[in-house]
């Protein structure tokens, strides 16, 4: 039931027609070849489109989604950090108020860095001007009274030997003498 192609062409010799050439063929092989070529072209085109447009876009879409997820997690963590920071600031204000009311101050000495810290209330109680008194190890040792300098040296030695936190009480020379 496939259609057939029938062609009749004149046959000429020296400009005179001497007969005709008749040719008949089935269109089935031609149609199958065209269908095969068309199918392969469509598949190659679809594959090319997928590989050029969709596949990289899927990878980019996944990467963007992962970045958005990470951004959401980071925003949530940042909100938590901000809340913690606000709570810490409030507690710090409460601590400063409590120190001021109780007339007590806070100080720390970091042995590895030799950094010495006095709280603002301690600076006020000791009548030290933060612009003039630089909290250093040497200034600490010069500002303690009596055997305070030796106590601090023994404390440092003990902490370095035992690797445990220690505390001590020393008398401190106030900024006004």
């Amino acid at each position: 039931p496939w259609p057939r192609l029938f062609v009749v062409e004149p046959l000429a010799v020296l400009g005179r027609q001497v007969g005709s050439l008749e040719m008949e063929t089935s269109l089935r092989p031609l149609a199958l070849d065209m269908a095969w070529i068309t199918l392969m072209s469509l598949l190659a085109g679809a594959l090319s489109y997928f590989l050029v447009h969709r596949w990289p876009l899927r990878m980019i879409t996944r990467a963007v989604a992962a970045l958005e997820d990470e951004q959401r997690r980071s925003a949530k963590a940042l909100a938590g950090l901000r809340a913690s920071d606000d709570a810490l600031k409030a507690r710090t204000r409460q601590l400063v108020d409590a120190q001021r009311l109780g007339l007590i101050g806070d100080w720390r000495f970091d042995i590895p860095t030799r950094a010495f810290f006095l709280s603002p209330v301690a600076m006020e109680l000791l009548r030290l001007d933060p612009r003039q008194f630089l909290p250093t190890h040497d200034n600490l040792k010069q500002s303690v009274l009596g055997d305070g300098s030796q106590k601090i040296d023994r404390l440092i030695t003990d902490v370095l030997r035992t690797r445990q936190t220690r505390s001590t009480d020393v008398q401190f020379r106030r900024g006004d003498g």
Side-chain angles (χ1 to χ4, degrees):
W2 281 88
R4 298 188 62 79
L5 179 63
F6 185 75
V7 178
V8 177
E9 286 291 323
L11 192 59
V13 176
L14 296 175
R16 277 180 69 209
Q17 183 173 350
V18 290
S20 64
L21 180 64
E22 294 179 7
M23 188 173 97
E24 182 180 5
T25 185
S26 171
L27 289 179
R28 182 175 186 215
L30 181 61
L32 290 176
D33 287 347
M34 290 300 291
W36 181 251
I37 291 170
T38 302
L39 180 63
M40 288 297 120
S41 296
L42 285 172
L43 286 175
L47 181 62
S48 297
Y49 177 78
F50 177 77
L51 290 176
V52 170
H53 295 285
R54 292 294 179 205
W55 191 41
L57 289 178
R58 285 179 61 201
M59 292 171 35
I60 290 171
T61 302
R62 286 181 188 151
V64 167
L67 287 172
E68 287 171 345
D69 288 346
E70 187 60 35
Q71 183 181 18
R72 279 190 290 278
R73 282 192 297 273
S74 296
K76 188 176 181 180
L78 183 59
L81 287 174
R82 285 186 179 144
S84 295
D85 186 50
D86 291 344
L88 180 61
K89 285 178 184 175
R91 294 295 287 164
T92 301
R93 283 191 300 274
Q94 290 174 345
L95 175 63
V96 169
D97 289 344
Q99 286 179 352
R100 209 170 257 123
L101 288 171
L103 297 175
I104 57 173
D106 173 32
W107 70 279
R108 288 189 309 277
F109 179 67
D110 185 33
I111 293 173
T113 63
R114 299 282 198 236
F116 174 50
F117 168 80
L118 282 170
S119 71
V121 174
M123 294 286 273
E124 288 174 23
L125 291 172
L126 296 171
R127 295 189 176 100
L128 297 171
D129 184 353
R131 295 169 296 187
Q132 293 178 356
F133 181 80
L134 183 63
T136 64
H137 178 252
D138 291 336
N139 286 346
L140 168 66
K141 288 180 74 171
Q142 291 173 7
S143 299
V144 293
L145 299 172
D147 66 342
S149 181
Q150 290 83 16
K151 277 185 173 181
I152 291 172
D153 287 338
R154 283 193 304 272
L155 182 77
I156 291 172
T157 302
D158 192 40
V159 167
L160 290 173
R161 183 177 49 79
T162 64
R163 301 281 185 212
Q164 293 182 357
T165 304
R166 299 278 191 263
S167 64
T168 189
D169 292 322
V170 293
Q171 291 183 340
F172 206 87
R173 182 178 298 115
R174 293 187 344 180
D176 60 0

